[in-house]
Coordinates of all heavy atoms in Angstrom, one line a residue:
S1543 N 56.8 -25.8 -10.4 CA 56.8 -26.0 -11.8 C 57.9 -25.2 -12.5 O 58.5 -25.7 -13.4 CB 55.4 -25.5 -12.3 OG 54.4 -26.3 -11.7
A1544 N 58.0 -23.9 -12.1 CA 59.1 -23.1 -12.7 C 60.5 -23.7 -12.4 O 61.3 -23.7 -13.3 CB 59.0 -21.7 -12.2
E1545 N 60.7 -24.2 -11.2 CA 62.0 -24.7 -10.9 C 62.2 -26.0 -11.7 O 63.4 -26.3 -12.1 CB 62.1 -25.0 -9.4 CG 62.1 -23.8 -8.5 CD 61.9 -24.0 -7.1 OE1 61.6 -25.2 -6.7 OE2 62.1 -23.1 -6.3
A1546 N 61.2 -26.8 -12.0 CA 61.3 -28.0 -12.8 C 61.7 -27.7 -14.2 O 62.3 -28.5 -14.9 CB 60.0 -28.8 -12.8
C1547 N 61.5 -26.4 -14.7 CA 61.8 -26.0 -16.1 C 63.3 -25.7 -16.2 O 63.8 -25.7 -17.3 CB 61.0 -24.8 -16.5 SG 59.2 -25.2 -16.6
I1548 N 63.9 -25.3 -15.1 CA 65.3 -24.8 -15.2 C 66.3 -25.8 -15.8 O 67.1 -25.4 -16.7 CB 65.8 -24.3 -13.8 CG1 64.9 -23.1 -13.3 CG2 67.2 -23.8 -13.9 CD1 64.8 -21.9 -14.2
P1549 N 66.3 -27.1 -15.4 CA 67.2 -28.0 -16.1 C 67.0 -28.1 -17.6 O 67.9 -28.3 -18.3 CB 66.9 -29.3 -15.3 CG 66.3 -28.9 -14.0 CD 65.5 -27.7 -14.3
I1550 N 65.7 -28.0 -18.0 CA 65.4 -28.1 -19.4 C 66.0 -26.9 -20.2 O 66.6 -27.0 -21.2 CB 63.9 -28.3 -19.7 CG1 63.4 -29.5 -19.0 CG2 63.6 -28.3 -21.2 CD1 61.9 -29.7 -19.1
I1551 N 65.8 -25.7 -19.6 CA 66.2 -24.5 -20.2 C 67.7 -24.4 -20.3 O 68.3 -24.1 -21.3 CB 65.7 -23.3 -19.4 CG1 64.1 -23.2 -19.6 CG2 66.3 -22.0 -19.8 CD1 63.5 -22.2 -18.7
T1552 N 68.4 -24.8 -19.2 CA 69.9 -24.8 -19.2 C 70.4 -25.8 -20.2 O 71.4 -25.6 -20.9 CB 70.4 -25.1 -17.8 OG1 69.9 -26.3 -17.3 CG2 70.1 -23.9 -16.9
A1553 N 69.8 -27.0 -20.3 CA 70.2 -28.0 -21.3 C 70.1 -27.5 -22.7 O 70.9 -27.7 -23.6 CB 69.4 -29.3 -21.0
I1554 N 68.9 -26.9 -23.0 CA 68.7 -26.3 -24.3 C 69.8 -25.3 -24.7 O 70.3 -25.3 -25.8 CB 67.3 -25.7 -24.4 CG1 66.3 -26.8 -24.4 CG2 67.1 -24.9 -25.7 CD1 64.8 -26.3 -24.4
L1555 N 70.0 -24.4 -23.8 CA 71.0 -23.3 -24.0 C 72.4 -23.9 -24.2 O 73.2 -23.4 -25.0 CB 71.0 -22.3 -22.9 CG 69.7 -21.4 -22.9 CD1 69.6 -20.7 -21.6 CD2 69.8 -20.4 -24.0
A1556 N 72.7 -25.0 -23.5 CA 74.0 -25.6 -23.7 C 74.1 -26.2 -25.1 O 75.2 -26.1 -25.8 CB 74.2 -26.7 -22.6
E1557 N 73.0 -26.8 -25.6 CA 73.0 -27.4 -26.9 C 73.1 -26.3 -28.0 O 73.7 -26.5 -29.0 CB 71.8 -28.3 -27.1 CG 71.8 -29.5 -26.3 CD 70.9 -30.6 -26.9 OE1 70.2 -30.4 -27.9 OE2 70.9 -31.7 -26.3
I1558 N 72.4 -25.1 -27.7 CA 72.5 -24.0 -28.6 C 73.9 -23.5 -28.8 O 74.5 -23.3 -29.9 CB 71.6 -22.9 -28.2 CG1 70.1 -23.3 -28.3 CG2 71.8 -21.6 -29.0 CD1 69.2 -22.3 -27.6
K1559 N 74.6 -23.4 -27.6 CA 76.0 -23.0 -27.6 C 76.9 -24.0 -28.4 O 77.8 -23.6 -29.1 CB 76.5 -22.9 -26.2 CG 77.9 -22.4 -26.0 CD 78.3 -22.2 -24.6 CE 79.7 -21.6 -24.5 NZ 80.1 -21.4 -23.0
N1560 N 76.6 -25.3 -28.2 CA 77.4 -26.3 -28.9 C 76.9 -26.6 -30.4 O 77.5 -27.4 -31.0 CB 77.3 -27.6 -28.1 CG 78.0 -27.5 -26.8 OD1 79.0 -26.7 -26.6 ND2 77.5 -28.2 -25.8
K1561 N 75.9 -25.8 -30.8 CA 75.3 -26.0 -32.1 C 74.8 -27.4 -32.4 O 74.9 -27.9 -33.5 CB 76.3 -25.6 -33.2 CG 76.9 -24.1 -33.0 CD 77.8 -23.7 -34.2 CE 78.4 -22.4 -34.0 NZ 77.3 -21.3 -33.8
T1562 N 74.3 -28.0 -31.4 CA 73.7 -29.3 -31.5 C 72.2 -29.3 -31.3 O 71.6 -30.4 -31.4 CB 74.3 -30.3 -30.5 OG1 74.2 -29.8 -29.2 CG2 75.8 -30.5 -30.8
Y1563 N 71.6 -28.2 -31.0 CA 70.2 -28.1 -30.8 C 69.4 -28.2 -32.1 O 69.7 -27.6 -33.1 CB 69.8 -26.8 -30.1 CG 68.3 -26.7 -29.7 CD1 67.9 -27.5 -28.6 CD2 67.4 -26.0 -30.4 CE1 66.5 -27.4 -28.2 CE2 66.1 -25.9 -30.1 CZ 65.6 -26.7 -29.0 OH 64.3 -26.7 -28.6

Side-chain angles (χ1 to χ4, degrees):
S1543 299
E1545 292 171 352
C1547 294
I1548 299 300
I1550 300 175
I1551 291 171
T1552 54
I1554 290 174
L1555 288 166
E1557 290 201 357
I1558 294 171
K1559 183 177 181 178
N1560 294 330
K1561 302 186 184 302
T1562 57
Y1563 186 75

